[in-house]
Amino acid sequence: MSEWWTYELSDFLLFSHRVYVRLFELHNAAVWPAHVATLLLGAGILYALLRPGRLAVRLVPLGLGALWIWIAWAFFGQRYATINWAAPNVAPFFALEGVALVALGSGPGLSLPGSKDRSPSIFAALIVLALCLFAYPLLAPALGRPLAAAEVFGVAPDPTAAATLAVLAVCRGRVRWLLMIVPLIWSALTGLTLWTMGASEALIAPVFALAVCAIAVAHRNAA
């Protein structure tokens, strides 16, 4: 038997990039028209950051939390698990992130930036959030993938993680750093998976994550 150090990362993947892309086609077809509802929710979160209100501090984490829980079940548990043996192990972490956000929304709420706070970090986070909502799905045809295999906020994990990081980056309080752990780890894992497959989009999620980390640090220093 070969020694473990002779294996490469690609040896642990039981699927190709073509199968991975097909996975999103099947998932999108199965959950349509949920995309409309998730994008509307995302637009509401974007509006809440632009014009924060009393209810936004609760509704934003409740909405994000519900999406994380749904992705844990619908994508990882029902779809990704059919081609990736590790997917069922990832699902609980997505569910945990969702439960934590829901608990925060049911309790003290998320400390969103105030209406008078218009620092550069706020605008940067808004741009990242808008890109996650409206530009991320267009990456599919730009990269030669069918539009039917687009990754949509609230339906696919990558844009959802990036959008969640963008929101948390400009919030106040230490809890935001804890809530950023799971999305950051997922951004690294999905980037590593795609890189192992030789996919051209391998750096997208990690770049979004690094950009949001820079925004979070800048926002903390400006506070």
Side-chain angles (χ1 to χ4, degrees):
M1 179 180 292
S2 300
E3 301 295 343
W4 65 267
W5 56 78
T6 64
Y7 289 94
E8 297 181 355
L9 287 174
S10 56
D11 295 325
F12 295 94
L13 285 181
L14 303 179
F15 54 93
S16 65
H17 184 249
R18 181 182 62 82
V19 173
Y20 184 76
V21 172
R22 178 60 176 163
L23 174 80
F24 284 98
E25 288 189 68
L26 295 173
H27 183 58
N28 286 334
V31 302
W32 175 264
H35 308 68
V36 178
T38 60
L39 286 176
L40 286 175
L41 178 58
I45 293 172
L46 181 62
Y47 180 81
L49 290 183
L50 284 168
R51 298 188 179 278
R54 187 172 300 177
L55 290 177
V57 298
R58 296 182 181 275
L59 294 181
V60 168
L62 285 173
L64 287 173
L67 292 178
W68 277 78
I69 294 171
W70 186 59
I71 289 174
W73 175 79
F75 181 78
F76 286 101
Q78 302 297 309
R79 191 67 54 186
Y80 201 14
T82 61
I83 66 169
N84 190 344
W85 58 269
N89 298 321
V90 177
F93 291 97
F94 263 69
L96 178 64
E97 177 77 6
V99 170
L101 285 164
V102 169
L104 188 63
S106 302
L110 194 61
S111 299
L112 298 173
S115 57
K116 296 182 179 180
D117 187 352
R118 286 296 176 261
S119 62
S121 57
I122 299 293
F123 284 109
L126 290 171
I127 291 173
V128 171
L129 180 56
L131 288 174
C132 293
L133 295 176
F134 308 117
Y136 217 107
L138 301 179
L139 288 174
L143 294 170
R145 295 167 54 171
L147 186 59
E151 297 180 50
V152 180
F153 167 80
V155 175
D158 291 9
T160 306
T164 302
L165 286 171
V167 174
L168 294 173
V170 291
C171 291
R172 298 181 297 274
R174 296 180 180 178
V175 68
R176 66 166 177 157
W177 299 108
L178 293 175
L179 291 171
M180 290 175 71
I181 293 175
V182 171
L184 286 173
I185 292 176
W186 171 251
S187 298
L189 286 176
T190 190
L192 182 61
T193 301
L194 290 166
W195 177 78
T196 303
M197 289 188 289
S200 55
E201 65 266 34
L203 293 178
I204 293 176
V207 166
F208 266 99
L210 288 174
V212 170
C213 285
I215 293 171
V217 172
H219 188 69
R220 182 194 62 182
N221 294 335

